[in-house]
Amino acid sequence: MADLRDYQFIITAGAKQDLLACKEEDPFAAATISTLLREILSHGRDASQMVEDDYSDEEIHSVGPLWSLQDMRINAYRVRMALIDRWRLIFAVDRLDQRIALVAVMHRDDDYQNNRALWRDIEREYDELGFRRY
């Protein structure tokens, strides 16, 4: 079995735009998210934790599946961070190709389970990356 740290980590164009919008609204949250992403990119943190159902630690409050995307056969998870409860990170995974992508950064108040426009953007980026539907 491959080491979990062997997962390739990708930040999509949509997630980069979301992070810039987050920075405008909440610089502390953006800095906290950026620190997490740098840790993943430098392999100081295991990216697979972001797609492990019920995972939590001192920085990650919880990880759970996004059922509205799972219903579209997109393997996606919502991550709530401990220090910035107002924001959610949306990750997608292709376990066979060992790739994980940050696909969105969303404000908690957004109805992310029913945001059809966002889901279309995530679906498009998911397919463009060549992630497998399960």
Side-chain angles (χ1 to χ4, degrees):
M1 182 169 166
D3 185 324
L4 293 176
R5 293 179 192 269
D6 289 341
Y7 273 80
Q8 177 189 18
F9 182 63
I10 302 159
I11 302 172
T12 66
K16 289 176 185 177
Q17 290 175 342
D18 293 345
L19 193 52
L20 289 173
C22 174
K23 183 178 178 181
E24 290 286 319
E25 182 178 336
D26 189 343
F28 175 76
T32 303
I33 294 167
S34 293
T35 299
L36 173 72
L37 299 177
R38 279 193 304 275
E39 289 174 358
I40 293 170
L41 288 166
S42 70
H43 300 287
R45 177 182 267 281
D46 185 352
S48 69
Q49 294 168 339
M50 303 302 110
V51 294
E52 182 181 325
D53 195 17
D54 291 328
Y55 178 81
S56 67
D57 63 21
E58 62 281 347
E59 293 177 11
I60 303 300
H61 180 270
S62 65
V63 175
L66 275 173
W67 295 115
S68 51
L69 286 173
Q70 298 273 343
D71 289 345
M72 297 166 56
R73 298 180 32 219
I74 292 175
N75 205 357
Y77 294 82
R78 177 256 328 129
V79 173
R80 290 178 54 200
M81 295 186 70
L83 290 176
I84 52 169
D85 192 49
R86 291 179 43 206
W87 297 90
R88 302 293 183 259
L89 307 177
I90 311 298
F91 290 88
V93 60
D94 182 336
R95 295 188 194 279
L96 289 176
D97 283 342
Q98 294 187 288
R99 295 183 300 154
I100 295 171
L102 174 66
V103 294
V105 178
M106 295 192 65
H107 198 279
R108 180 188 70 204
D109 294 338
D110 292 340
D111 186 2
Y112 57 91
Q113 285 285 9
N114 294 307
N115 187 329
R116 293 177 197 264
L118 174 67
W119 280 184
R120 278 191 303 270
D121 290 343
I122 290 173
E123 183 176 25
R124 179 183 43 75
E125 287 187 321
Y126 190 89
D127 291 338
E128 286 174 357
L129 289 169
F131 277 31
R132 288 178 171 82
R133 304 278 183 128
Y134 64 94

